[in-house]
Amino acid sequence: MEDPAAPGSGNPPANGYGNGNGNGGGKGKPAAPKGRETFRSQRRESEGSVDCPTLEFEYGDTDGHAAELSELYSYTEHLEFTTNRRCFEEDFKTQVQGKEWLELEEDAQKAYVMGLLDRLEVVSRERRLKVARAVLYLAQGTFGECDSEVDVLHWSRYNCFLLYQMGTFSAFLELLHMEIDNSQACSSALRKPAISIADSTELRVLLSVMYLMVENIRLERETDSYGWRTARETFRTELSFSMHNEEPFALLLFSMVTKFCSGLAPHFPIKKVLLLLWKVVMFTLGGFEQLQALKVQKREELGLPPLAEDSIQVVKSMRAASPPSYTLDLGESQLAPPPSKLRGRRGSRRQLLTKQDSLDIYNERDLFKTEEPATEEEEESAGDGERTLDGELDLLEQDPLVPPPPSQAPLSAERVAFPKGLPWTPKVRQKDIEHFLEMSRNKFIGFTLGQDTDTLVGLPRPIHESVKTLKQHKYISIADVQIKNEEELEKCPMSLGEEVVPETPCEILYQGMLYSLPQYMIALLKILLAAAPTSKAKTDSINILADVLPEEMPITVLQSMKLGIDVNRHKEIIVKSISALLLLLLKHFKLNHIYQFEYVSQHLVFANCIPLILKFFNQNILSYITAKNRKLETTTSSAGGTSFPASTF
């Protein structure tokens, strides 16, 4: 996400401020603009957001396919791409003579992959690692034989489907179990004073292959063949349900997270584990679109009226809420400016309203409605403010944060075009109607009728209209039906019998997580705390940089700069994966059963999840979300580094 007003972007700030180069400087008197129309256009741009520029983003499950693949790697691992290629070419030349991988027929490619899997079942760890690196090179798209990034992405998908059809995922799953139970590697890592990427080489190779297979197979495209579509559904079923008396794959990754946080396996590459866990949960349970389809289907099964709108589509069409640049600005925004810069109290009130820019565009006031008459005190203060300004120059000399008076404010056609009211349909619960009638009856009649919402005798006509409007927007959620069913089962457990629970992927995942759910939530929040940008290093905090720190620490300024950028990128990816995973779990558990959602939420609250989230906002938000790191391709080439495909970063 590139901010249009970020330094170096070449675009002017969207909030009308200067950039420090003589074009205005925030405080003090601004430089003279080119004309009144220029100033008015800048004011119209700043009307939506006073503090921050407009943020451009797409609300969806994931980023682009290439970006999601690139986040698997760190810049510290760039030398391993050459190692993977060398291992593949050495093995390929011993099996196939005079041809390259892309030149082989499909049957010949399958035969070579079968040979790789056979050579994977050897005792020597070094030989196994070389074969696993050759498989990883195939999953990465055989970039040594491709000419462009598009070709790399295409052959990466093709090779991943081919690898899955030949049983590669099951073979790597067995190897992953072996590495997790490898006590020698765990004890060796515990004895070391500093852990680096060299301690997790085997795990990183295995997790990288599995992540590439999950991410490439998960991606649906219209051009996919019938065989690929069938393979995708089979793969989803294998990951969702327990196969061969084994737990679902997501539970294995959750156990790796808890083992890492307990300190028993500090060498685990936690970023790769979290990314793979997030994508497995998304693949098996479904993203936002699948969640909406499941919600519509479940409401239809329960006999509830259909949804009025798709909440995800509504959110996608909304503007980004511009946060304050720093928490201190929240306090400063509550203080009224000097009277000389405002047109009385009405101007002060109008200035504070401009802070609410995320929903104001949907809730514009009626432009043709006359304002309420001002009081004598407001008229006197407004008159004093007008006498301090000088006619035509008042727009140029007053504080640029203050909007012009109503008589001179330009009416932006773009803002008027938005619909009036909230962007979504209002929803009223049955309890809201009952509470409203209870208050009205106590006020006008003196007694209540319990849960009766039909009898309106003795109530005035406006109350009748209000009840009619409330009933028009009455909404019965799936959670209300589930709570009602649970209450009936509690009252009559013998007559109603045992509830039949469908074995959905979400239900199976919750049943597997139930006994260790508190440990899972605490472990995720521990890692999230360690990755927080404002957290300070503590002796008891976990080390999340084991899979990003090189074996030899940097000795030059350039290497230190690259490592610093890599560490920040590493933390941001961890925060993204954990937050997306928690959001996805909460949404699916809430749809599956409201009590599952409440149980998970309860443990998140007990583990101080809310203060942890607030900790992320206790910083300069604007600089955090608009921080841009320059690509290191030119830096690497100038330093004599090894070149590698751009699609991997």
Side-chain angles (χ1 to χ4, degrees):
M1 178 185 67
E2 181 175 345
D3 193 303
S9 62
N11 299 324
N15 58 4
Y17 288 146
N19 56 8
N21 297 327
N23 298 328
K27 292 185 178 180
K29 183 177 178 181
K34 296 181 180 179
R36 182 172 305 226
E37 293 301 326
T38 303
F39 187 81
R40 287 182 176 178
S41 63
Q42 293 177 355
R43 184 180 299 281
R44 284 195 295 268
E45 292 176 0
S46 66
E47 210 170 19
S49 175
V50 176
D51 291 330
C52 303
T54 302
L55 306 177
E56 296 181 3
F57 76 105
E58 292 183 4
Y59 190 83
D61 293 313
T62 60
D63 202 346
H65 182 52
E68 292 296 332
L69 294 181
S70 68
E71 291 181 350
L72 177 65
Y73 312 103
S74 61
Y75 290 105
T76 313
E77 299 177 89
H78 76 278
L79 294 177
E80 298 189 5
F81 285 90
T82 307
T83 307
N84 299 338
R85 180 180 178 180
R86 185 180 65 252
C87 292
F88 171 80
E89 291 177 348
E90 291 176 356
D91 185 87
F92 190 75
K93 289 178 181 179
T94 60
Q95 305 297 324
V96 181
Q97 301 295 331
K99 286 188 177 182
E100 294 184 346
W101 170 259
L102 302 184
E103 298 174 355
L104 295 180
E105 299 292 336
E106 184 177 357
D107 294 337
Q109 292 175 343
K110 290 182 178 180
Y112 176 73
V113 172
M114 286 298 296
L116 278 178
L117 297 181
D118 291 339
R119 291 186 291 278
L120 200 61
E121 299 178 358
V122 294
V123 179
S124 175
R125 287 176 58 88
E126 295 182 359
R127 294 177 60 187
R128 274 206 315 264
L129 180 59
K130 288 184 178 181
V131 177
R133 285 189 178 277
V135 176
L136 177 57
Y137 178 73
L138 286 176
Q140 290 173 344
T142 57
F143 51 84
E145 304 176 21
C146 298
D147 299 328
S148 63
E149 181 179 338
V150 177
D151 293 341
V152 174
L153 295 177
H154 167 75
W155 285 106
S156 179
R157 288 196 77 220
Y158 173 84
N159 293 340
C160 285
F161 272 100
L162 181 65
L163 291 172
Y164 170 71
Q165 292 170 356
M166 303 310 297
T168 306
F169 192 86
S170 301
F172 272 70
L173 183 58
E174 294 179 2
L175 293 177
L176 182 62
H177 278 285
M178 292 173 53
E179 291 297 331
I180 293 174
D181 299 333
N182 188 357
S183 58
Q184 182 180 358
C186 295
S187 59
S188 175
L190 289 172
R191 289 194 301 267
K192 287 187 176 181
I195 304 175
S196 64
I197 60 173
D199 300 306
S200 60
T201 303
E202 291 83 0
L203 278 171
R204 286 188 292 107
V205 172
L206 297 177
L207 292 172
S208 297
V209 172
M210 302 174 89
Y211 177 85
L212 290 172
M213 292 181 67
V214 171
E215 180 63 18
N216 280 305
I217 297 177
R218 182 189 67 85
L219 182 65
E220 298 182 9
R221 288 182 178 171
E222 297 179 356
T223 57
D224 292 344
S225 62
Y226 175 76
W228 282 15
R229 296 177 189 272
T230 306
R232 181 182 297 114
E233 295 304 320
T234 306
F235 192 29
R236 180 184 285 114
T237 304
E238 291 180 1
L239 294 178
S240 304
F241 301 96
S242 302
M243 305 296 292
H244 309 294
N245 296 327
E246 293 183 357
E247 59 186 3
F249 183 54
L251 293 180
L252 175 64
L253 298 176
F254 269 117
S255 64
M256 292 183 67
V257 173
T258 54
K259 191 174 182 180
F260 172 80
C261 290
S262 63
L264 299 177
H267 66 293
F268 279 1
I270 195 61
K271 185 189 78 170
K272 288 180 170 56
V273 174
L274 291 171
L275 283 174
L276 181 57
L277 176 58
W278 168 36
K279 293 303 174 64
V280 167
V281 171
M282 184 186 302
F283 184 35
T284 54
L285 303 187
F288 289 156
E289 295 182 0
Q290 292 84 353
L291 184 70
Q292 183 68 17
L294 290 174
K295 188 184 298 184
V296 172
Q297 178 184 354
K298 198 157 190 175
R299 290 186 65 86
E300 185 177 352
E301 293 174 355
L302 296 175
L304 299 176
L307 294 171
E309 76 252 326
D310 186 351
S311 58
I312 301 299
Q313 297 300 325
V314 172
V315 174
K316 285 183 178 180
S317 62
M318 292 176 60
R319 282 187 55 192
S322 301
S325 59
Y326 195 64
T327 51
L328 184 61
D329 295 348
L330 289 174
E332 294 177 352
S333 64
Q334 304 300 325
L335 301 176
S340 60
K341 293 188 177 182
L342 289 177
R343 294 184 179 273
R345 295 185 179 180
R346 304 176 78 185
S348 175
R349 184 167 63 250
R350 193 178 298 113
Q351 182 200 16
L352 295 179
L353 290 177
T354 58
K355 299 287 183 181
Q356 306 171 0
D357 62 335
S358 60
L359 285 179
D360 281 353
I361 57 176
Y362 295 99
N363 198 13
E364 293 290 337
R365 63 179 179 84
D366 193 351
L367 299 175
F368 303 98
K369 182 179 179 181
T370 58
E371 294 187 352
E372 58 181 359
T375 60
E376 295 181 359
E377 185 178 359
E378 289 178 342
E379 289 179 353
E380 292 177 1
S381 59
D384 296 338
E386 289 177 356
R387 283 191 293 269
T388 60
L389 301 176
D390 188 14
E392 293 291 333
L393 297 179
D394 57 347
L395 282 177
L396 304 179
E397 294 182 354
Q398 64 179 353
D399 196 314
L401 291 180
V402 184
S407 60
Q408 300 179 9
L411 299 180
S412 176
E414 183 180 355
R415 289 172 61 86
V416 178
F418 285 98
K420 183 177 176 62
L422 293 173
W424 50 79
T425 304
K427 298 175 182 178
V428 180
R429 298 177 301 173
Q430 177 70 18
K431 292 183 179 180
D432 297 331
I433 302 177
E434 295 173 359
H435 181 64
F436 175 74
L437 282 175
E438 181 181 358
M439 294 177 57
S440 302
R441 286 166 178 159
N442 284 330
K443 180 178 180 180
F444 294 102
I445 303 177
F447 62 90
T448 61
L449 299 178
Q451 298 180 352
D452 184 6
T453 59
D454 298 326
T455 304
L456 304 178
V457 178
L459 297 177
R461 186 65 182 175
I463 301 298
H464 289 220
E465 296 294 334
S466 301
V467 173
K468 180 181 178 181
T469 304
L470 290 175
K471 288 184 176 181
Q472 287 177 352
H473 295 86
K474 182 181 177 181
Y475 175 76
I476 302 177
S477 65
I478 298 176
D480 295 336
V481 178
Q482 292 171 344
I483 292 175
K484 186 177 180 181
N485 293 338
E486 291 294 331
E487 292 175 351
E488 292 178 356
L489 283 173
E490 256 185 56
K491 293 178 181 178
C492 310
M494 302 300 295
S495 59
L496 294 179
E498 187 177 356
E499 182 182 6
V500 179
V501 180
E503 294 291 326
T504 61
C506 185
E507 183 67 29
I508 292 176
L509 178 62
Y510 181 79
Q511 291 177 3
M513 294 177 59
L514 181 60
Y515 297 104
S516 302
L517 188 62
Q519 288 81 1
Y520 294 154
M521 297 299 108
I522 291 174
L524 290 176
L525 294 182
K526 274 187 176 181
I527 301 173
L528 193 63
L529 175 62
T534 57
S535 63
K536 298 180 180 179
K538 297 181 180 179
T539 55
D540 57 341
S541 62
I542 56 178
N543 180 20
I544 61 173
L545 305 178
D547 54 336
V548 70
L549 294 178
E551 193 170 5
E552 297 180 359
M553 295 307 293
I555 57 177
T556 64
V557 177
L558 178 61
Q559 293 176 349
S560 301
M561 181 190 69
K562 289 170 59 177
L563 182 59
I565 293 176
D566 207 6
V567 168
N568 291 336
R569 177 177 177 269
H570 182 80
K571 290 183 177 181
E572 290 175 3
I573 295 173
I574 288 179
V575 171
K576 169 187 172 181
S577 58
I578 294 180
S579 57
L581 174 64
L582 290 177
L583 180 62
L584 205 60
L585 288 175
L586 288 174
K587 282 181 174 291
H588 277 282
F589 286 155
K590 184 178 181 181
L591 179 61
N592 195 50
H593 201 287
I594 185 62
Y595 287 163
Q596 296 178 359
F597 165 77
E598 291 184 357
Y599 186 61
V600 175
S601 303
Q602 181 183 21
H603 284 291
L604 288 175
V605 173
F606 288 165
N608 291 330
C609 180
I610 296 177
L612 177 57
I613 294 176
L614 295 177
K615 189 180 183 68
F616 277 87
F617 295 102
N618 186 24
Q619 59 174 319
N620 193 324
I621 296 295
L622 188 59
S623 64
Y624 176 67
I625 62 179
T626 59
K628 298 189 301 180
N629 298 324
R630 186 179 57 180
K631 290 185 178 181
L632 298 183
E633 296 175 0
T634 56
T635 306
T636 306
S637 60
S638 63
T642 305
S643 60
F644 42 87
S647 62
T648 57
F649 288 101

